[in-house]
Amino acid sequence: MSPLLLALALPVAVAVAVVLLGERRRDAREAASLLGALALAWVVLGTLLPDVLAGREHVLEGPALIDGLPLRFRADRLALVYAGVAAALWLPSALFAAGYMRGHHEGHQTRFFACFALSIASAMGIAFSDDLLTMFVFYEALTLATWPLVTHRGGPAAARAGRLYLGLLLATSMVLLLLAIAGAWVHSGPAGARSLAFVQGGFLGEAPPAARAALFALFVLGIGKAALMPFHFWLPAAMVAPAPVSALLHAVAVVKAGVFCVLKVAVCVFGLDVVAVGVGNGWLLGLAAATIVVGSLVAMTRDNLKERLAYSTVSQLAYVVLGAALGSPLGALGAALHIVMHAFGKITLFFCAGAIDVATGRTRVSELRGLGRRMPWTLGAFTLGALSIVGLPPLGGAWSKWYLGQATLASDHPWLLGVLLLSSLMNTGYLLSIPALAFFGAPREEPGAGPPVREAPLACVAALVLTGAGSVALFFGIDPLVAALRPAREAP
Amino acid sequence: MSHPDVPALVVVVPLLTGLLTALALRGRWAWAAATLSSWLVLALVLDLALAVQHAPGGVVSYALGGWAPPVGIEYRVDRLNAFVLVVVAVMGAVVTPGARLGVEAAVPADRLHLFWGVWQLCQVGLLGITITGDAFNVYVLLEIGSLTTYTLVAMGKHRDRRALTAAFQYLVMGTVGASFLLVGIGYLLQVTGTLNMADMAARLLEPETARASGRTIRAAFSLIAAGVCLKMALFPAHTWLPGAYAHAPAPVSALLASTATKVGVYVAIRFLYGIFGRELSFERLPTGPLLLVCAAVAILAGSLLACRQRDLKRLLAWSSVAQIGYMALGVGLASKAGLAGALLHLLQHALVKGALFLAVGALVWRLGAARTDDLGGLGRRMPWTAGVLTLGMLGLVGVPGTAGFVSKWYLVTAALEQGLWPVAVVVLVGSLLAAAYALKVIEPLWAAPEDLPPPAGAAAWGGRESPFSSLVLPGLVLSALSLGLGLGLGGPAQGLALAAAEDLVPARGGP
Amino acid sequence: MEWLRLVPYWVYVALMMIGLYGAIARGNLVKKVIGLGLFQTGIFIFYISLAVVDGGTAPIAREGWEGPYTSPLPHVLILTAIVVSVSTMAVALALVIEVQRAYGTVEADELAALDAEGTEA
């Protein structure tokens, strides 16, 4: 079996196994998730990655939904950025989820783990898709597979949030994105010679400039998962989901699917050169910059920890869109790196938020005063994650911001660097204030409080320490990553 | 073809078994006869469709009673009506076995044989319209199909007397529509002196005919167009449909929603493209813009009204109004891709609506009604029925992986090819609205039962799944077919639709 | 006398319009059925008028008559259409009887009011 097929099929197999094992054999069920995650990480990072780096391409052709447009998959470097992140972080998430769901006594755990695995399967499909239609199919699958997770808690509040989530994501993808894809198909060539397959450098070279600009706008706005304002409301709404969902899906898989698609479209549908000059990318740079700043501003005003992190995500995703919209190889490199760095940083933060919730039931920033001494591991990891998001060495986030900053300076819009710096400053304000409060604030003594607070379940702590350490490791291990992505970007 | 008389048998078999059923059989035997006959018809139709694939020119012609066309009545099967025949026959063969319990609940036991007789005559009408090559024959069979349909709809009276008024309204509008068609055919007879459709088309193409009788031809065109729109329930002639589908017994709705309006669409395509020809219909007359506007209103208004319904059958009925809009839109685009999209949508909507109405029938059979308020937590109590409902709704939305996505893709790209991006937007917004009403069904279905009050009368039915083989299985079969068409096994169907479209809209060098 | 040849067509159009008006605008279901009947009768007249051939006689083959016959085809067609029409009347009237039994009235506006009650209940 080809490793590519294995990467796509493994999470589906896990979902099936989870359903078959069910609630009665919950230990075996969680073991299936963990083993599946381990196997997927091995397939993607241990098999596909070395092969691709060695120049061996893996391609796969599936059934044709539309006559003449088969599902096509290809493992290339850019694909492995997203697939690698999703696969690598599934393992700690599965670990964390097992601890969290039991510690929190959540219901319907079988459905939860099955949908979780299906979401990963959809993410793999998006990552390895080799044409627009394939990408769209899995993009929609990801929306549908995550919807039961968002509404997992049940009740009217979750249902409302679920409707907003589904409504916004489907509205953008079904109307704008599908229109863009159909338009790209029609403009890709004369009847009979049309294609949707990704090509380095784009395949819309023959299209009239006005159509190209319109398509570009439709693509960028249609990929609602990138949470570009004003289509970002689904992301804070999705925070009603249990913490593992917020952590893996709404900090990593789903949102990164969005920005990954934007990046892929910029590189492989339009071509970076065209993005730089031929599609009127100015408005997009402005929108991305506005999203960066406004997202950070809103995050500063939120007291609910998860909501604050959600707006921080909105802001950070716009970095990736910005990098893609610059239309330069350096920008694309920065964007790809930021996908990785932000994933590790933000998942750590969400794990911490979940761990605090499980251990203490607290969800507000103002309630965390003095918690640092009770939960040193959790808040220590939180500090690492926050530093990475801010972009300070020795954490991975420093590199992506470095390359993005360079890219803005090299572009026609050097003022964007100011936006990046301003945002980093605001990140410091709203993220680092949290561990500061927790470590240095005086603990709040409540009369008649319950038993003393202790660290979260071991599974949770292990997961967040793992990803926090990952952020540090990424700082020191940046060279191979950059080396791997560079040639891909500079290829004609 | 295994026997030269197969084209005639497609109509004769259900006619004879229908009469036999009404006269000689009783109760469950009547149902068994209807089922057997529908299976036999399916076998005959598949045989015929295969023959068409291999026939020279893609046409099988059969002279009824040995009178050669154009004098005698000709049964003429080309790729277009082979496609529609297969749809009608498949739906008959799946819905009939699944209709037994629903019908037994709706019709008194001493009338069952009459019901099943009429049911088969209805199929005679639908199959006959599709297979015949004679314009007057279309009218007669259309009326056979319609008269039986009014009767079937009225059978809902035992549960809901509104079925009677709905059937009467349907009868008035249907008769007016059919009469318009009759007058239009009379005009064409006067102009061309023939009733054979192929012959008619050839004579209409002669320049002197067009010169001498241009006005008569245009009058015939308008009359026939009006009549056909009434039959296929295209906005603004859709008013009979919601009531008829909502109050008919659910199995009847399943049969009608998946075949009757589809045959109406077929008649529209046959007259517009096959008889008047694409040039007259779309280049000399403003049919295209008119159809597109009607279709757009049907899609948007139909979907919006579907969102507002609480009764599941009425919701599905309004959704049908919208879905017919999609087919009309494909017809109105007047291009190969558009027509192929219309045909594929015809196929997918037949499967999906059939499955949905069967599932609703299973709900009605258990709960006595099917309102969106009653669906709370049914996913756990009736997982199969809920699964069919969910898949069907996703199919209406056109989620990738269902057949609905395929037809939507063809329609959108066809519209964009002609630069008609507002039309493409209408298609896509329509599917978004479909997502809204689909969510109204799917959300309570899979919500945790403890979050919602139990459905009315839950104690009486004990929260059990419907009988599997007689109520659930047919819906599952249709869902599986729809999924199969959506998941890459639909290549042959798409090929057939494209080939049929190409016969009607020959490529003329470049888009 | 050219206008005389057009009289059947005028009759056809007039009957059709009267019938259509009756079928759509009258509130009483029986009157609607009558309207439909007129509507279809108009169409029969139209078809029969189509068959006229100048100087033609009834289309029954006769020894020694070489001259024109009127066209038999519309006659045949309209026989079929009359059968269809009669069946339609039968179904329609049966439905009216059923409506009368179920609702106690055959007036469209009263029926609409009764149906609306049923929806709210």
Side-chain angles (χ1 to χ4, degrees):
Chain A
M1 200 185 220
S2 92
L4 193 50
L5 184 58
L6 204 58
L8 293 164
L10 250 175
V12 179
V14 169
V16 173
V18 163
V19 170
L20 289 181
L21 289 168
E23 188 63 41
R24 244 174 287 164
R25 279 161 289 181
R26 50 193 289 188
D27 290 323
R29 182 188 67 193
E30 262 78 301
S33 279
L34 284 171
L35 282 177
L38 202 62
L40 184 68
W42 176 74
V43 169
V44 173
L45 298 172
T47 310
L48 281 173
L49 186 63
D51 274 11
V52 169
L53 288 179
R56 255 180 317 213
E57 289 218 317
H58 285 275
V59 290
L60 190 68
E61 197 166 295
L65 265 57
I66 311 290
D67 212 15
L69 284 174
L71 295 179
R72 268 192 289 255
F73 303 94
R74 175 190 300 272
D76 61 12
R77 288 156 197 258
L78 186 53
L80 277 166
V81 170
Y82 173 53
V85 166
L89 292 179
W90 189 21
L91 184 61
S93 304
L95 196 64
F96 182 84
Y100 179 92
M101 298 300 278
R102 290 183 186 191
H104 222 264
H105 306 291
E106 296 272 355
H108 310 298
Q109 292 191 16
T110 302
R111 187 180 77 189
F112 177 88
F113 285 106
C115 285
F116 210 90
L118 285 180
S119 307
I120 300 293
S122 315
M124 290 298 133
I126 293 175
F128 293 121
S129 60
D130 194 30
D131 71 14
L132 275 172
L133 197 69
T134 312
M135 191 182 92
F136 181 77
V137 168
F138 286 98
Y139 183 96
E140 294 290 59
L142 184 57
T143 307
L144 296 181
T146 47
W147 177 61
L149 297 173
V150 171
T151 56
H152 183 80
R153 291 262 163 78
R160 231 184 355 263
R163 267 176 240 146
L164 179 63
Y165 180 79
L166 209 55
L168 205 57
L169 287 182
L170 285 184
T172 48
S173 69
M174 281 192 356
V175 179
L176 304 176
L177 183 57
L178 191 53
L179 191 64
I181 293 174
W185 191 68
V186 170
H187 282 293
S188 65
R194 290 175 180 155
S195 147
L196 284 172
F198 290 134
V199 180
Q200 285 281 342
F203 60 78
L204 289 178
E206 304 296 312
R212 222 159 38 191
L215 285 177
F216 185 69
L218 283 174
F219 268 114
V220 172
L221 296 177
I223 299 174
K225 290 197 170 86
L228 210 57
M229 283 180 178
F231 295 132
H232 67 285
F233 289 105
W234 64 268
L235 183 51
M239 291 303 139
V240 296
V245 176
S246 308
L248 182 62
L249 299 173
H250 299 117
V252 181
V254 174
V255 291
K256 292 300 169 346
V259 290
F260 172 78
C261 290
V262 171
L263 190 58
K264 193 97 190 180
V265 164
V267 174
C268 298
V269 174
F270 291 91
L272 287 173
D273 305 337
V274 178
V275 170
V277 292
V279 293
N281 62 344
W283 65 271
L284 181 58
L285 289 172
L287 189 62
T291 306
I292 291 175
V293 174
V294 177
S296 290
L297 274 176
V298 176
M300 293 171 92
T301 66
R302 299 294 145 140
D303 189 35
N304 183 306
L305 182 53
K306 276 174 77 179
E307 223 175 302
R308 184 179 287 196
L309 294 178
Y311 273 101
S312 159
T313 305
V314 170
S315 162
Q316 297 291 318
L317 289 174
Y319 279 70
V320 183
V321 176
L322 187 85
L326 283 171
S328 65
L330 205 56
L333 171 65
L337 282 181
H338 200 64
I339 289 181
V340 181
M341 302 308 174
H342 177 250
F344 274 87
K346 197 46 77 61
I347 200 171
T348 311
L349 297 183
F350 271 108
F351 279 165
C352 294
I356 293 170
D357 185 15
V358 170
T360 69
R362 297 179 195 176
T363 55
R364 302 185 161 277
V365 175
S366 49
E367 296 169 340
L368 304 183
R369 183 179 293 273
L371 201 62
R373 267 159 268 178
R374 302 278 184 192
M375 305 176 70
W377 287 103
T378 302
L379 281 147
F382 192 99
T383 315
L384 287 181
L387 285 170
S388 182
I389 302 288
V390 173
L392 290 178
L395 288 137
W399 286 116
S400 59
K401 294 210 168 174
W402 168 255
Y403 281 107
L404 281 174
Q406 277 198 330
T408 55
L409 279 182
S411 74
D412 301 336
H413 308 275
W415 56 273
L416 288 169
L417 182 65
V419 173
L420 298 186
L421 291 177
L422 176 68
S423 166
S424 281
L425 211 61
M426 288 195 282
N427 294 341
T428 320
Y430 67 77
L431 283 179
L432 284 176
S433 62
I434 297 169
L437 193 72
F439 279 116
F440 306 119
R444 192 177 42 170
E445 292 303 337
E446 284 171 26
V453 171
R454 279 193 305 192
E455 268 290 8
L458 181 64
C460 294
V461 175
L464 56 91
V465 168
L466 212 60
T467 55
S471 277
V472 180
L474 280 172
F475 178 81
F476 295 104
I478 189 68
D479 283 342
L481 202 55
V482 173
L485 284 169
R486 265 241 154 100
R489 300 283 64 74
E490 283 165 8
Chain B
M1 220 163 19
S2 44
H3 191 275
D5 285 330
V6 163
L9 286 175
V10 167
V11 176
V12 169
V13 163
L15 182 65
L16 288 181
T17 56
L19 293 175
L20 177 80
T21 307
L23 295 176
L25 297 171
R26 287 294 177 269
R28 196 160 292 188
W29 287 106
W31 164 77
T35 303
L36 278 181
S37 130
S38 71
W39 290 353
L40 193 52
V41 166
L42 177 61
L44 290 168
V45 164
L46 289 178
D47 185 34
L48 190 56
L50 281 179
V52 169
Q53 295 295 299
H54 302 299
V59 176
V60 170
S61 170
Y62 177 83
L64 218 59
W67 295 84
V71 174
I73 291 173
E74 180 194 14
Y75 276 9
R76 189 181 167 86
V77 188
D78 58 10
R79 295 195 181 95
L80 172 65
N81 53 359
F83 188 88
V84 181
L85 275 173
V86 171
V87 173
V88 174
V90 166
M91 295 313 299
V94 180
V95 173
T96 310
R100 180 174 64 86
L101 286 176
V103 170
E104 283 174 4
V107 179
D110 59 335
R111 302 282 172 82
L112 277 174
H113 57 291
L114 296 176
F115 179 94
W116 289 115
V118 173
W119 175 280
Q120 289 171 71
L121 287 183
C122 181
Q123 305 227 32
V124 171
L126 297 171
L127 293 162
I129 299 167
T130 316
I131 203 172
T132 189
D134 182 280
F136 192 78
N137 221 223
V138 168
Y139 164 76
V140 175
L141 288 159
L142 195 70
E143 283 292 53
I144 293 180
S146 300
L147 287 171
T148 49
T149 306
Y150 311 142
T151 320
L152 293 177
V153 170
M155 282 302 127
K157 66 176 179 170
H158 298 286
R159 202 184 277 283
D160 184 349
R161 65 181 181 181
R162 282 175 292 173
L164 292 170
T165 43
F168 189 82
Q169 196 196 358
Y170 186 10
L171 181 142
V172 172
M173 295 192 68
T175 306
V176 170
S179 303
F180 276 144
L181 194 69
L182 180 60
V183 179
I185 292 170
Y187 283 16
L188 284 182
L189 170 65
Q190 192 177 27
V191 171
T192 63
T194 179
L195 287 170
N196 183 288
M197 297 202 280
D199 203 23
M200 236 180 214
R203 298 205 189 182
L204 282 174
L205 274 182
E206 290 163 8
E208 52 268 36
T209 317
R211 245 197 324 279
S213 324
R215 270 216 309 218
T216 317
I217 293 174
R218 284 201 293 275
F221 183 87
S222 323
L223 286 163
I224 289 175
V228 169
C229 282
L230 272 162
K231 279 290 165 190
M232 68 189 254
L234 177 62
F235 174 90
H238 65 282
T239 46
W240 58 267
L241 187 147
Y245 285 13
H247 302 307
V252 173
S253 306
L255 181 72
L256 296 186
S258 52
T259 53
T261 46
K262 308 295 170 291
V263 169
V265 174
Y266 159 74
V267 174
I269 295 175
R270 178 59 83 196
F271 272 93
L272 290 181
Y273 291 90
I275 295 182
F276 291 107
R278 185 177 173 279
E279 199 207 332
L280 174 69
S281 302
F282 290 98
E283 284 166 24
R284 303 227 301 273
L285 291 171
T287 319
L290 273 174
L291 264 179
L292 290 180
V293 168
C294 289
V297 178
I299 290 171
L300 298 177
S303 304
L304 275 174
L305 280 161
C307 292
R308 293 185 46 194
Q309 305 305 321
R310 294 153 71 89
D311 181 82
L312 222 53
K313 272 160 84 182
R314 202 167 267 277
L315 185 151
L316 292 180
W318 277 111
S319 137
S320 281
V321 172
Q323 304 287 325
I324 288 158
Y326 283 103
M327 292 167 225
L329 189 133
V331 174
L333 284 172
S335 69
K336 182 183 156 195
L339 208 50
L343 287 174
L344 287 170
H345 203 76
L346 186 153
L347 167 65
Q348 83 92 5
H349 183 241
L351 295 174
V352 162
K353 254 316 147 48
L356 280 170
F357 269 115
L358 284 175
V360 169
L363 285 183
V364 172
W365 193 78
R366 272 287 185 219
L367 303 174
R371 285 185 299 268
T372 48
D373 305 345
D374 295 345
L375 298 176
L378 274 184
R380 304 221 146 201
R381 298 193 176 106
M382 303 169 77
W384 291 108
T385 308
V388 172
L389 273 176
T390 307
L391 276 182
M393 283 294 174
L394 291 178
L396 285 183
V397 178
V399 170
T402 63
F405 178 70
V406 178
S407 55
K408 203 167 74 177
W409 172 263
Y410 277 95
L411 291 175
V412 170
T413 49
L416 287 178
E417 267 175 1
Q418 302 176 28
L420 294 170
W421 61 266
V423 174
V425 171
V426 165
V427 172
L428 295 170
V429 170
S431 55
L432 188 64
L433 292 172
Y437 63 72
L439 192 62
K440 233 177 118 169
V441 175
I442 295 174
E443 197 183 61
L445 220 43
W446 299 102
E450 57 267 25
D451 290 345
L452 292 154
W461 59 284
R464 273 164 295 132
E465 178 61 282
S466 306
F468 186 82
S469 57
S470 46
L471 271 180
V472 177
L473 187 61
L476 273 181
V477 169
L478 293 179
S479 303
L481 282 174
S482 155
L483 269 187
L485 289 178
L487 282 175
L489 304 175
Q494 292 173 41
L496 191 56
L498 280 168
E502 188 147 14
D503 290 347
L504 298 167
V505 189
R508 293 190 305 175
Chain C
M1 297 303 267
E2 188 58 29
W3 63 272
L4 206 56
R5 297 154 68 87
L6 292 178
V7 166
Y9 293 97
W10 286 112
V11 171
Y12 136 67
V13 170
L15 274 181
M16 218 172 126
M17 290 303 118
I18 295 170
L20 191 59
Y21 174 80
I24 290 171
R26 303 313 303 220
N28 186 301
L29 299 195
V30 179
K31 289 184 183 165
K32 278 181 189 283
V33 177
I34 295 173
L36 281 183
L38 279 177
F39 186 69
Q40 294 190 313
T41 310
I43 298 172
F44 306 156
I45 292 180
F46 161 67
Y47 264 81
I48 293 165
S49 320
L50 280 188
V52 173
V53 174
D54 277 343
T57 176
I60 304 167
R62 233 183 340 156
E63 292 279 332
W65 176 260
E66 294 296 323
Y69 293 103
T70 53
S71 165
L73 181 63
H75 294 148
V76 178
L77 296 182
I78 223 58
L79 273 178
T80 318
I82 288 172
V83 173
V84 169
S85 168
V86 168
S87 324
T88 312
M89 291 298 124
V91 173
L93 290 172
L95 271 176
V96 173
I97 292 171
E98 285 289 327
V99 168
Q100 169 72 30
R101 274 190 198 144
Y103 288 82
T105 175
V106 291
E107 292 293 333
D109 46 354
E110 289 172 30
L111 290 172
L114 286 169
D115 276 351
E117 270 171 39
T119 314
E120 278 155 25

